[in-house]
Amino acid sequence: MEIRKIRLDKFLADFGLGSRKEVKKLIKRGYVSVNNQILTDPSIHVDPEKDQIIFNDQIISYKKHHYYMFNKPSGYITAVSDEIYPTVMEFFYELPFSKKLFPIGRLDIDTEGLLIITDDGQFAHRVAHPKWNIEKEYYAVVKEDVSQLNLKKYEKEGILLRKDRYRTKPFKIEVISSSNDKSEILIIVTEGKYHIVKKIMEELGHPVLYLKRVRIGSLRLDKDLETGEFRELTDEEIKNLKRLVNL
Ligand code: URA
């Protein structure tokens, strides 16, 4: 990609390091070096593809957008900020461009598992939009024995959530194990309605005891990514997700 030379302060502000004013101050105070030379003039022009720009010992490498796989722990809300609860974005503060990042879609405070964190608005909008029917797969532990449910029916018709007067889209359930006490299932839904899995399981008479998202479309949560950890998506993973939403 051809990138023209750009003012240093604009580049760092676009990158997400802070406002233009904040970035100017950082440059003037000598926090930024270009090709191993500290530069204190914010108006200098740089080529982010060729010049090595370092802020506070971190190389600022140019990427238009960033995409992360995050394993959300319970106890954090899926929002950029909140007055009461800690948010999932707390795990990203260390990144210099963290101010531009946000989560796609929403997991409940007590739900664990896969969240995509990005700064790509168009991509996020599409992945979250019901029109694209992106599958979301959850591992759930639910109350009591689910082995008698007529699962084929829900794959065709969804279910009427009587309290909400809303019929869900078709969904799939695979039973992993079941006992009198509780069952383990995988449930695949294609909608992002508030509490959708909990509501479906409640309607079926098997309330959710534990919920973890394990897949969004073509992207499966790494087994060895601990809760609270994140990693960048590979180019292949980004390409496959984008294909699902026609990007
Ligand atoms: N469905 C729910 O009920 N909760 C979630 O966090 C996600 C899907």
Side-chain angles (χ1 to χ4, degrees), residues 38-51:
I38 292 177
L39 295 184
T40 52
D41 178 1
S43 72
I44 210 106
H45 282 65
V46 292
D47 179 343
E49 290 233 309
K50 293 203 185 106
D51 296 324

Side-chain angles (χ1 to χ4, degrees), residues 15-239:
F15 183 78
L17 209 57
S19 67
R20 195 79 175 256
K21 203 166 150 197
E22 286 163 345
V23 165
K24 273 187 186 160
K25 267 194 207 152
L26 293 170
I27 297 170
K28 284 186 182 156
R29 288 185 189 154
Y31 281 99
V32 179
S33 73
V34 179
N35 302 329
N36 292 321
Q37 238 192 323
I38 292 177
L39 295 184
T40 52
D41 178 1
S43 72
I44 210 106
H45 282 65
V46 292
D47 179 343
E49 290 233 309
K50 293 203 185 106
D51 296 324
Q52 189 185 57
I53 300 158
I54 296 182
F55 165 72
N56 240 356
D57 294 337
Q58 282 187 73
I59 295 180
I60 307 291
S61 58
Y62 181 81
K63 270 188 189 167
K64 189 160 183 228
H65 290 302
H66 302 85
Y67 307 85
Y68 295 94
M69 169 189 291
F70 177 54
N71 188 355
K72 177 193 175 295
S74 177
Y76 290 81
I77 66 160
T78 312
V80 171
S81 64
D82 192 75
E83 306 257 296
I84 302 169
Y85 297 105
T87 79
V88 293
M89 297 318 298
E90 300 204 355
F91 293 86
F92 292 82
Y93 282 163
E94 72 210 44
L95 298 177
F97 46 84
S98 66
K99 284 184 189 158
K100 292 201 158 180
L101 296 172
F102 55 88
I104 302 183
R106 189 170 41 183
L107 291 178
D108 296 336
I109 189 164
D110 57 349
T111 301
E112 295 185 355
L114 179 59
L115 263 182
I116 301 172
I117 309 286
T118 188
D119 52 7
D120 183 341
Q122 190 190 29
F123 171 75
H125 181 72
R126 292 210 186 177
V127 170
H129 200 285
K131 161 180 162 185
W132 301 97
N133 281 321
I134 302 283
E135 288 190 344
K136 267 87 66 175
E137 181 173 339
Y138 296 83
Y139 164 83
V141 180
V142 300
K143 267 197 182 167
E144 299 173 0
D145 188 347
V146 295
S147 59
Q148 298 309 314
L149 294 176
N150 179 3
L151 300 179
K152 284 276 164 271
K153 181 172 155 194
Y154 309 118
E155 282 183 27
K156 284 200 200 101
E157 302 171 3
I159 192 170
L160 178 67
L161 301 176
R162 284 168 298 176
K163 273 192 210 155
D164 295 68
R165 296 195 186 163
Y166 170 75
R167 178 164 285 279
T168 71
K169 289 190 185 176
F171 59 89
K172 275 188 208 146
I173 292 181
E174 187 188 315
V175 181
I176 302 173
S177 73
S178 56
S179 69
N180 282 344
D181 246 23
K182 59 184 180 184
S183 302
E184 286 176 290
I185 61 166
L186 290 171
I187 174 166
I188 301 173
V189 297
T190 56
E191 56 195 313
K193 290 229 169 352
Y194 192 52
H195 292 332
I196 188 75
V197 174
K198 289 177 183 164
K199 284 181 176 173
I200 288 173
M201 295 314 298
E202 186 85 41
E203 189 68 46
L204 289 172
H206 298 278
V208 167
L209 302 171
Y210 171 80
L211 192 59
K212 176 179 183 169
R213 183 155 64 190
V214 293
R215 183 171 64 86
I216 297 172
S218 51
L219 185 70
R220 193 167 279 284
L221 182 66
D222 288 353
K223 285 230 158 58
D224 54 2
L225 195 71
E226 302 284 338
T227 49
E229 285 184 350
F230 64 84
R231 70 155 172 88
E232 265 195 273
L233 295 190
T234 64
D235 290 346
E236 188 71 16
E237 286 169 335
I238 297 166
K239 199 174 78 191

